Amino acid sequence: MNTTTEFRSFYRDMNAEELLNDTKKWKKRINFLQQEFAFLSSLLEANIFNPEINDLFETLLLYKEEIGNITNESNKILDSLISHESHIEIYLESDDINFDHVFIEIHSKKEYDVTVFLEETNKFKIQLYDYIKRVVIR
């Protein structure tokens, strides 16, 4: 069984309020991630790196570009979550709260996408932190 199927079967028994809470939690995590990357971006602009390191500025530029890519992707995910949240709120306001199969698919796919995105960004942050540790002036 794949991960998306596991998510879907988990959500089958959840109500709209629980799905809404999940979505709000994901939005908070993405918002925090954006703040982290705004800080890291400004850190890379600081004059704290040893200029004698080979390819320092080229490498810093690559990291800055990747932070820009991550920020763009996080904006897309956040927009998607905002839209999803509004759909859940519509379900909550209606008298007929019936989560159909498609809605559960969408919700479980969103969780999968957020989870994968956060895992990938964590890998990138570890790589960036390791690099910064090696090239910062002490």
Side-chain angles (χ1 to χ4, degrees):
M1 178 161 41
N2 70 28
T3 306
T4 304
T5 305
E6 292 169 6
F7 286 140
R8 185 175 46 253
S9 63
F10 172 74
Y11 286 115
R12 191 175 321 154
D13 298 327
M14 293 181 77
N15 65 35
E17 288 180 9
E18 292 170 315
L19 298 179
L20 184 61
N21 287 336
D22 277 353
T23 305
K24 288 179 186 288
K25 177 184 71 174
W26 300 334
K27 283 176 45 187
K28 284 181 183 178
R29 291 180 75 187
I30 297 296
N31 279 322
F32 182 76
L33 180 86
Q34 288 179 329
Q35 291 175 1
E36 277 184 297
F37 279 105
F39 169 76
L40 288 171
S41 184
S42 66
L43 181 67
L44 293 179
E45 295 291 331
N47 191 19
I48 59 171
F49 301 104
N50 183 347
E52 296 173 11
I53 301 293
N54 288 337
D55 300 325
L56 173 71
F57 298 106
E58 294 83 357
T59 304
L60 291 176
L61 182 60
L62 291 173
Y63 279 119
K64 290 176 202 175
E65 287 174 3
E66 185 60 23
I67 287 173
N69 294 337
I70 289 169
T71 300
N72 290 337
E73 184 65 22
S74 69
N75 286 331
K76 290 176 188 174
I77 291 172
L78 198 52
D79 288 345
S80 171
L81 291 175
I82 290 167
S83 174
H84 185 62
E85 180 180 41
S86 72
H87 287 115
I88 295 171
E89 289 170 343
I90 290 168
Y91 274 115
L92 281 170
E93 292 171 3
S94 75
D95 291 334
D96 180 28
I97 301 178
N98 182 14
F99 296 117
D100 61 10
H101 176 72
V102 173
F103 189 79
I104 297 300
E105 284 274 336
I106 291 168
H107 192 80
S108 62
K109 173 95 171 76
K110 297 239 181 269
E111 179 174 27
Y112 178 79
D113 291 346
V114 168
T115 300
V116 168
F117 178 71
L118 292 173
E119 288 172 356
E120 291 300 316
T121 58
N122 283 341
K123 289 176 190 174
F124 173 76
K125 286 188 294 185
I126 289 168
Q127 179 186 13
L128 177 58
Y129 295 151
D130 183 53
Y131 183 74
I132 290 171
K133 228 181 355 184
R134 290 184 312 208
V135 299
V136 73
I137 297 173
R138 299 173 204 249

